[in-house]
Structure formats: structure tokens, C-alpha cells
């Protein structure tokens, strides 16, 4: 019986074992197979990661119920670094990107795998390093004096900042796009200066800089040489005008509200009838080396350009050292100073050298109104200082040779006052005969020309000239009218003109008031005063230069804005007869 049971049990095991093994295998397989659930941040899947050309690192955290693998397609520069995590379902990685030395953008693909299958991927993007190369053929351009354009070709992968370092060059157009050839076009204005000028254009992209140099030839002005002496030149000047409150402004020519002097403005002056221009200039504020008194070359070029505007119109031009902060003119009351004298020499040596090749249409004036700010202190020692500084001016100009060896030069009496100039002043010496002129200014009567409000010693005059007096008004001029003008100018003629030294009336003008009385009579008075002063100056051998600061002529267009003044000047210029 036992043997039978044993045999039956053995038979059962044989039959059942395959089934048990099969069942066991099935149960084991069901427990190990897990569906991967992987979560990659949505913003990274959508937008990827972006790095600058300097490189960097970003974190990547992946949630998964199974192990994951993160693979970079560009392991040479985009690396995946595995981090540690305290969670069994959060896998931490760092995407590290090296600096991009190439001038093209680049991309890598990061692939996330789970259970041997792709669970997601995203793109890593890195911008290129800045690329900026100017074509060697565009590095330097040399063009003619007339207006034109300059083309600059460069290769770049960005949009560079364009800096034009000179006002006569303007950007016209540029094409911009990845590392590719681009062309920029720049307009270049006509160079009216007699000499070459050099400008630069700077392209900047990040830390990269490229500079282009533009050299423009000087203008080919007609050249009459230096044959005319002072009397001959004075006779050829019909009427003169100042570019006031502009080039002499210490902070630059636009510092007092006027625009930069333009060729259109000078053309407008010529159209009105002026054939001579006085260009008051500041120099001290343009010194770039206080030890040597070196003048900024850009300012020398600018002054030369304005002179060139005049010369292109066959207009005479006077360049001076104006008030200029008072370093010379206010110092005279303290007597002679060797440092001031040395500065005078240094500045005039540079000015004269720069402008040397202009012909006789250009004249130099040593200063403006020496001692003006402290007239009561202009004693004998002050006048000696004035003469000494002007002697240095003459000697410095003559020493530069060339056209300056015989150029006509202008010296100024004490604060350009007529009475002081005919009594106390002596003209410096010049080794060249008949090439000097003397300058005075005229603003009489002060109560009519410049006085702004009544004082205890007198009232402002509104009306000047017998024909313009208003009956019963206490604003009629009581002195300084027609006969006085003739008397003052007669003094200059007797003391200088008749002795072969022409006189420049460097400034004269009268301010306009808005008055409660007869405005028309006031405006006619201003017109008539300018007419008389202009006419009588010429009649006495004096060349008149009206002082204008932008209120009577539109500085942009050169159009007349105060006909009373300009009409009066031109009428006087036509009636006056230069006697020599």
C-alpha cells in the first residue's frame, strides 16, 4: 500500500512540476515589469536651454520611477554631470557648457532615456563669440574735397555700434544680418578747409573694436597770393560782420545756443552783401596739454573749415584770440607776465602754422579787447603789457614763414577804445612794411547801444538821430549822435589811416528793446545808427564789422531776421566811400 502511494505521488510531481515552474515564472515576470513614468520640466522641453558665448551651467531635475540616462550629442563642449539626490525618484544633473570661441552659434541635443527608450529631449543653444572684421580694403579711404560717400565692408555676426568721431561724416545706411559680410555707407561733407583732414569711424561689438580712417583732400581755393598790403586789402572790404557768440564760446561753438557754423549760413551773409567775416575764436578751452599749450587738432581743423567757407565765397576772414576766458586780456592790468607771453607765442605759432597756406584773404588779429573788464585799471604798465603781448603775436606769426611772412595782421588798442588808442597806444613794430592794421570797437552812445536799464546817472535812449526823435520823450539821445560819430572816426583817421595804417572797426551794434513808446521810431533809430556808423567808418578809412550774435540773421539758413539792421548796414556801406 505504501509503495503504491509513493509511486502515485512521484507520478503527480512529474506531471505538476512543469506547470509549477511555468506558474512561478509567470508570477516572477509580472512583478519586475514597470511602466516608466518620467517627468522633465515642461519649460525645458519647450524652450531648451540657452547659454551666452562665455558658457555656464544649468540644473536639470528629472522625476522618474525608473533609472534614467541623460546623453549629450556634443560631449566636447556640452557635458552632462550626474549629481546626488536624497530622493529615489528625483534624478539630478547639471548641464555644463564651455565658452564658445567660434563666431557661429551652436546647438546640442540632450536626450533622456528610461528603460532603454527615449523619454524626451531638448536643445541646448549657445551664442557665438563676437565677430567683427573690417575688410582690409575698407580700413582707410582717401577721397577728394567735394562731398561724397565712403563704403565700409565688414564681416560680423552681430549689430555693431557705429561711432562717427567727426562731424563732417554721417552714416547713410548699413546692411546688418549671422557672421556675414555687411556694408555701411557714410556721407562725407565737402572739405572747404585748404588742408587735408582725417576722420575716424569706430565699430564696436562687445569687447571688439575696429577703426576706419577717412582722409579727405583739402579744397582747391583760388589763390591770389599775398601781394596786397594793408591799405589795398582794407579798400577791398565792402562790409564786414562777426560770427558772434559762437566760435569764441569757451565750451564749444554751440555752447551759447547758436548752431554750428555752416556753409549755408556763410552763403547767406555773402548774398546780403557782406564780403568780410570776423571769426572770434576761443583757444584756451581747446588746449589738450597745459604744459605745452598744445591745441586740439580737431579744433584747428574746425576753425580752418570755417575760414574755408568764407574763402570759397571770396570773402575776407579775420581769425583772432577772443576773450578766451580772460587769460590774456584780463591779465594786462597786472602788467607784463612772461608765462602769459609764452602762451601767446605758443598759441599763435600753432594757429599760424595751421592756416599758413590761406592767401591774403585771411588776416590774423592778436586779441580782442585787452583790459576791457577793468578799464579804470588800464594804466601805463597795462598798456606796455598789451603792446608786449601783441609784439609777441606779430613775431610768432612771422616766424612761421610762408604766407604768414607777409600776412596782414591786426593789433588792438587799450580795450579797443578810440580815445585811449589815439592818445596812449603805440603800434608794435613789424619787420614787414605796410602789413599792420589797428582795431577799435564802437558802442557809443552806451545808453543807446548796450544799456539795459536806467541808472542814477542817466536813462536808456530809445531814439537816435534827429529825424527819429519822438517829441516830448525823455528817451531821445542827448549825446553821441551823427556829429559825434564823425568826430570819433576822424581821430582814428588822423592818427592811423592818414599815416598808412588802416583801421578795423571790429565790433559795433545796438540792442533792440521792446518798448511802450514808439516802437517804429526805436527800430528806425537802430537802423539809422548802423547806417551812419557803417557809412562814416568807410568815409574815414575804417573797415566796419557789425557784431551779430544770431538775433539778426538765421544761423541755419543765412536768411535775414532783422531787416532794420541789415538794411541800415547795407545802405551805409553803399553810401560810404573808402578814401584810399
Amino acid at each position: 500500500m505504501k509503495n503504491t502511494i509513493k509511486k502515485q505521488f512521484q507520478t503527480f510531481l512529474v506531471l505538476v512540476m512543469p506547470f509549477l515552474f511555468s506558474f512561478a515564472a509567470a508570477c516572477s515576470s509580472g512583478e519586475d515589469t514597470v511602466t516608466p513614468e518620467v517627468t522633465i520640466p515642461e519649460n525645458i522641453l519647450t524652450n531648451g536651454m540657452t547659454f551666452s558665448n562665455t558658457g555656464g551651467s544649468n540644473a536639470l531635475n528629472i522625476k522618474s520611477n525608473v533609472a534614467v540616462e541623460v546623453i549629450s550629442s556634443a560631449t566636447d563642449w556640452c557635458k552632462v554631470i550626474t549629481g546626488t539626490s536624497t530622493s529615489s525618484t528625483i534624478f539630478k544633473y547639471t548641464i555644463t557648457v564651455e565658452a564658445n570661441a567660434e563666431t557661429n552659434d551652436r546647438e546640442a541635443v540632450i536626450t533622456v532615456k528610461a528603460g532603454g527608450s527615449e523619454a524626451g529631449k531638448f536643445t541646448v543653444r549657445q551664442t557665438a563669440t563676437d565677430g567683427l572684421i573690417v575688410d582690409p580694403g575698407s580700413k582707410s579711404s582717401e577721397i577728394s574735397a567735394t562731398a561724397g560717400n565712403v563704403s565700409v565692408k565688414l564681416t560680423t555676426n552681430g549689430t555693431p555700434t557705429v561711432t562717427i568721431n567727426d562731424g563732417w561724416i554721417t552714416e547713410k545706411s548699413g546692411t546688418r544680418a549671422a557672421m556675414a559680410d555687411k556694408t555701411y555707407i557714410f556721407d562725407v561733407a565737402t572739405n572747404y578747409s585748404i588742408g587735408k583732414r582725417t576722420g575716424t569711424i569706430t565699430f564696436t561689438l562687445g569687447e571688439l573694436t575696429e577703426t576706419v580712417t577717412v582722409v579727405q583732400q583739402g579744397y582747391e581755393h583760388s589763390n591770389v597770393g599775398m601781394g596786397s598790403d594793408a591799405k589795398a586789402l582794407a579798400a577791398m572790404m565792402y562790409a564786414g560782420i562777426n560770427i558772434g557768440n559762437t566760435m569764441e564760446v569757451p565750451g564749444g561753438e554751440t555752447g551759447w545756443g547758436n548752431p554750428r557754423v555752416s556753409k549755408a549760413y556763410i552763403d547767406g551773409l555773402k548774398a546780403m552783401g557782406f564780403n568780410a567775416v570776423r571769426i572770434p575764436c576761443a583757444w584756451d578751452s581747446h588746449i589738450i596739454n597745459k604744459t605745452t599749450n598744445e591745441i586740439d587738432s580737431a579744433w584747428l581743423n574746425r576753425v580752418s573749415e570755417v575760414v574755408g567757407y568764407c574763402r570759397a565765397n571770396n570773402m575776407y576772414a579775420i581769425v583772432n584770440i577772443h576773450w578766451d576766458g580772460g587769460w590774456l586780456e584780463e591779465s594786462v592790468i597786472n602788467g607784463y607776465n612772461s608765462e602769459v607771453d609764452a602762451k601767446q607765442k605758443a598759441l599763435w605759432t600753432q594757429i599760424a602754422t595751421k592756416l599758413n597756406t590761406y592767401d591774403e584773404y585771411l588776416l590774423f588779429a592778436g586779441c580782442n579787447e585787452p583790459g576791457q573788464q577793468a578799464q579804470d585799471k588800464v594804466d601805463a604798465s597795462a598798456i606796455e603789457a598789451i603792446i608786449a603781448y601783441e609784439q609777441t603775436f606779430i613775431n610768432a606769426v612771422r616766424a612761421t614763414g610762408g604766407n604768414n611772412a607777409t600776412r596782414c595782421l591786426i593789433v588792438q588798442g587799450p580795450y579797443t577804445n578810440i580815445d585811449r588808442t589815439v592818445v596812449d597806444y603805440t603800434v608794435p613794430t613789424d619787420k614787414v612794411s605796410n602789413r599792420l592794421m589797428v582795431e577799435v570797437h564802437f558802442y557809443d552812445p552806451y545808453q543807446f547801444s548796450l544799456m539795459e536799464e536806467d541808472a542814477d546817472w542817466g536813462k536808456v535812449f530809445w531814439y537816435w538821430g534827429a529825424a527819429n526823435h519822438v517829441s516830448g520823450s525823455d528817451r531821445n539821445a542827448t549825446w553821441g549822435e551823427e556829429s559825434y560819430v564823425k568826430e570819433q572816426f576822424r581821430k582814428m583817421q588822423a592818427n592811423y589811416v592818414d599815416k598808412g595804417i588802416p583801421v578795423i572797426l571790429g565790433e559795433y551794434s545796438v540792442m533792440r528793446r521792446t518798448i511802450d513808446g514808439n516802437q517804429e521810431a526805436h527800430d528806425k533809430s537802430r537802423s539809422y545808427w548802423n547806417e551812419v556808423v557803417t557809412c562814416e567808418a568807410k568815409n574815414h578809412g575804417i573797415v566796419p564789422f557789425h557784431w551779430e550774435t544770431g538775433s539778426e540773421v538765421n544761423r541755419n539758413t543765412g536768411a535775414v531776421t532783422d531787416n532794420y539792421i541789415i538794411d541800415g548796414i547795407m545802405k551805409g556801406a553803399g553810401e560810404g566811400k573808402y578814401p584810399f
Side-chain angles (χ1 to χ4, degrees):
M1 186 71 179
K2 289 181 179 177
N3 289 337
T4 303
I5 293 172
K6 183 177 180 180
K7 289 179 181 178
Q8 290 177 341
F9 181 72
Q10 288 175 338
T11 302
F12 171 79
L13 288 176
V14 170
L15 293 173
V16 171
M17 282 302 290
F19 173 78
L20 291 174
F21 279 114
S22 175
F23 177 80
C27 290
S28 174
S29 175
E31 291 175 354
D32 290 342
T33 301
V34 179
T35 302
E37 295 180 0
V38 181
T39 302
I40 303 170
E42 185 65 29
N43 66 314
I44 292 179
L45 283 174
T46 302
N47 302 318
M49 293 183 181
T50 300
F51 293 84
S52 70
N53 55 23
T54 58
S57 298
N58 276 350
L60 173 64
N61 295 332
I62 300 173
K63 184 178 182 181
S64 177
N65 61 345
V66 297
V68 296
E69 182 181 14
V70 181
I71 304 167
S72 169
S73 66
T75 56
D76 56 330
W77 61 271
C78 180
K79 304 179 185 303
V80 179
I81 299 173
T82 303
T84 59
S85 175
T86 58
S87 171
S88 61
T89 60
I90 301 297
F91 298 86
K92 293 187 175 183
Y93 300 90
T94 300
I95 308 301
T96 300
V97 172
E98 296 180 356
N100 186 6
E102 301 299 322
T103 55
N104 292 312
D105 295 345
R106 60 185 178 182
E107 294 183 353
V109 175
I110 301 297
T111 303
V112 178
K113 290 186 176 182
S117 301
E118 181 180 308
K121 62 182 178 181
F122 60 89
T123 301
V124 173
R125 300 176 182 86
Q126 186 179 28
T127 57
T129 192
D130 291 335
L132 181 66
I133 304 170
V134 171
D135 185 272
S138 298
K139 275 280 190 178
S140 180
S141 300
E142 185 158 346
I143 61 175
S144 69
T146 55
N149 60 64
V150 170
S151 176
V152 178
K153 182 179 179 181
L154 60 117
T155 304
T156 180
N157 61 356
T159 303
T161 299
V162 181
T163 304
I164 300 171
N165 305 308
D166 303 271
W168 47 276
I169 303 173
T170 54
E171 185 178 356
K172 183 177 183 180
S173 63
T175 61
R176 300 172 178 151
M179 192 74 175
D181 290 342
K182 305 171 187 183
T183 300
Y184 291 77
I185 306 296
F186 298 88
D187 284 331
V188 177
T190 298
N191 179 15
Y192 287 98
S193 174
I194 204 165
K196 285 184 180 180
R197 63 182 176 185
T198 301
T200 57
I201 304 166
T202 304
F203 296 87
T204 304
L205 184 64
E207 296 182 356
L208 301 178
T209 299
E210 287 275 7
T211 299
V212 173
T213 300
V214 180
V215 178
Q216 188 177 27
Q217 297 293 326
Y219 196 81
E220 291 292 333
H221 296 286
S222 60
N223 194 329
V224 301
M226 304 298 293
S228 302
D229 63 15
K231 288 174 66 174
L233 282 182
M236 290 186 280
M237 295 184 198
Y238 180 76
I241 191 168
N242 281 266
I243 308 176
N245 288 4
T246 309
M247 305 292 286
E248 82 276 26
V249 178
E253 64 184 293
T254 62
W256 289 349
N258 279 316
R260 284 170 56 89
V261 179
S262 67
K263 179 63 163 50
Y265 163 67
I266 300 298
D267 292 346
L269 298 180
K270 181 64 180 290
M272 290 174 209
F274 294 103
N275 78 331
V277 179
R278 183 171 178 256
I279 309 171
C281 287
W283 301 96
D284 183 72
S285 56
H286 300 282
I287 290 175
I288 59 175
N289 186 326
K290 295 295 183 181
T291 301
T292 62
N293 291 307
E294 180 186 355
I295 302 169
D296 186 353
S297 61
W299 183 243
L300 286 166
N301 289 337
R302 176 59 179 155
V303 174
S304 179
E305 181 177 45
V306 175
V307 171
Y309 294 159
C310 300
R311 186 62 188 89
N313 276 330
N314 292 323
M315 301 171 78
Y316 295 91
I318 296 174
V319 167
N320 75 352
I321 293 180
H322 210 66
W323 173 69
D324 205 21
W327 65 268
L328 183 148
E329 298 194 350
E330 293 183 18
S331 74
V332 300
I333 62 172
N334 298 315
Y336 176 81
N337 182 300
S338 60
E339 292 184 3
V340 171
D341 202 33
K343 184 173 180 178
Q344 173 84 328
K345 179 180 179 181
L347 296 186
W348 273 113
T349 298
Q350 295 172 78
I351 298 166
T353 299
K354 175 64 180 180
L355 304 177
N356 199 332
T357 50
Y358 281 104
D359 61 16
E360 65 181 27
Y361 273 74
L362 174 63
L363 300 85
F364 294 147
C367 52
N368 177 48
E369 296 174 337
Q372 176 64 247
Q373 284 70 29
Q375 299 176 17
D376 59 330
K377 296 181 180 180
V378 179
D379 56 14
S381 66
I383 294 175
E384 289 177 4
I386 293 170
I387 296 170
Y389 297 149
E390 291 177 346
Q391 187 68 62
T392 295
F393 152 66
I394 295 170
N395 295 345
V397 173
R398 295 288 180 242
T400 61
N403 286 346
N404 293 331
T406 55
R407 189 176 305 284
C408 283
L409 306 178
I410 306 167
V411 292
Q412 294 68 37
Y415 53 92
T416 55
N417 176 271
I418 290 177
D419 291 322
R420 296 299 299 274
T421 301
V422 300
V423 174
D424 302 318
Y425 177 73
T426 301
V427 177
T429 61
D430 186 8
K431 64 181 181 181
V432 184
S433 301
N434 304 317
R435 298 289 170 140
L436 289 183
M437 298 182 182
V438 172
E439 180 180 350
V440 291
H441 297 171
F442 189 79
Y443 288 100
D444 290 340
Y446 170 76
Q447 288 161 269
F448 179 66
S449 63
L450 296 175
M451 190 171 175
E452 297 186 42
E453 58 183 23
D454 294 342
D456 55 4
W457 54 265
K459 292 186 174 183
V460 175
F461 297 158
W462 292 346
Y463 313 115
W464 189 92
N468 296 310
H469 284 194
V470 174
S471 179
S473 175
D474 60 356
R475 299 294 180 174
N476 296 320
T478 58
W479 71 279
E481 295 190 289
E482 296 95 331
S483 61
Y484 174 83
V485 174
K486 293 179 183 180
E487 177 187 349
Q488 290 298 95
F489 291 167
R490 192 177 295 120
K491 294 176 184 178
M492 292 303 298
Q493 180 176 353
N495 284 271
Y496 293 101
V497 179
D498 290 345
K499 296 177 181 179
I501 303 176
V503 173
I504 295 292
L505 185 62
E507 296 180 17
Y508 68 102
S509 71
V510 57
M511 66 184 296
R512 184 181 190 273
R513 291 101 170 164
T514 301
I515 61 176
D516 294 331
N518 191 323
Q519 185 70 49
E520 179 70 7
H522 173 62
D523 290 335
K524 286 184 176 179
S525 295
R526 293 168 54 247
S527 180
Y528 181 59
W529 184 90
N530 278 279
E531 174 189 338
V532 171
V533 172
T534 304
C535 178
E536 292 303 331
K538 294 187 69 173
N539 285 341
H540 291 85
I542 302 170
V543 183
F545 282 78
H546 174 66
W547 179 254
E548 204 282 322
T549 60
S551 61
E552 297 153 4
V553 178
N554 185 304
R555 287 296 182 87
N556 292 305
T557 65
V560 177
T561 57
D562 190 331
N563 287 293
Y564 286 102
I565 297 301
I566 304 304
D567 289 350
I569 293 170
M570 288 306 153
K571 185 177 180 182
E575 293 174 348
K577 305 300 179 186
Y578 192 81
F580 300 99

